[in-house]
């Protein structure tokens, strides 16, 4: 699947690591943030995917889609707003999970 056919990439979201974009689901107008991870076999991307899998269900519910595009690059789409870089979004979700356990 070609990510750019399914999601309109509007503008880059600043941050280190994978590229993140403020986006919109084509045809539906749903605001999302599209995170392009690239090669799924890198240690960094495997670590990010492990962190996503470890999130509690209420946080995982904000993940719209995880997939691989036609070139084999991995992507993650999260509900928006807020439009956050994946590293910031993960930190916020992990912090919310910790606070929910208190």
């Amino acid at each position: 699947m070609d990510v750019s056919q399914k999601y309109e990439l509007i503008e880059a979201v600043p941050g280190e690591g994978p590229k993140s974009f403020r986006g919109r689901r084509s045809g539906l107008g749903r605001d999302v943030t599209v995170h392009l991870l690239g090669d799924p076999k890198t240690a960094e991307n495997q670590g990010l995917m492990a962190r996503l899998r470890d999130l509690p269900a209420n946080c995982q519910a904000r993940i719209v889609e995880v997939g691989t595009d036609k070139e084999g690059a991995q992507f993650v789409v999260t509900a928006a707003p807020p439009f956050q870089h994946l590293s910031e979004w993960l930190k916020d979700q992990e912090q919310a999970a910790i606070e929910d356990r208190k």
Side-chain angles (χ1 to χ4, degrees):
M1 181 200 77
D2 187 2
V3 174
S4 63
Q5 288 181 337
K6 193 169 185 180
Y7 298 98
E8 176 187 359
L9 304 181
I10 298 170
E11 68 180 326
V13 177
E16 296 294 320
K19 295 178 182 176
S20 295
F21 296 88
R22 184 175 153 248
R24 187 170 296 121
R25 174 70 165 93
S26 299
L28 299 178
R30 179 180 182 186
D31 288 333
V32 296
T33 307
V34 179
H35 312 281
L36 305 177
L37 280 64
D39 183 357
K41 296 177 185 172
T42 68
E44 178 184 13
N45 289 344
Q46 288 180 355
L48 287 171
M49 296 307 293
R51 288 173 66 192
L52 287 169
R53 284 189 300 274
D54 288 343
L55 291 173
N58 63 322
C59 296
Q60 285 189 10
R62 297 196 43 85
I63 300 171
V64 175
E65 182 175 3
V66 175
T68 305
D69 71 12
K70 63 183 180 182
E71 284 91 34
Q74 200 162 31
F75 66 90
V76 176
V77 179
T78 55
F83 297 100
Q84 292 178 296
H85 190 273
L86 184 58
S87 58
E88 292 175 31
W89 186 86
L90 265 170
K91 285 179 193 173
D92 286 354
Q93 299 306 308
E94 290 166 338
Q95 186 61 40
I98 291 168
E99 290 173 11
D100 284 349
R101 286 187 221 136
K102 292 181 180 180

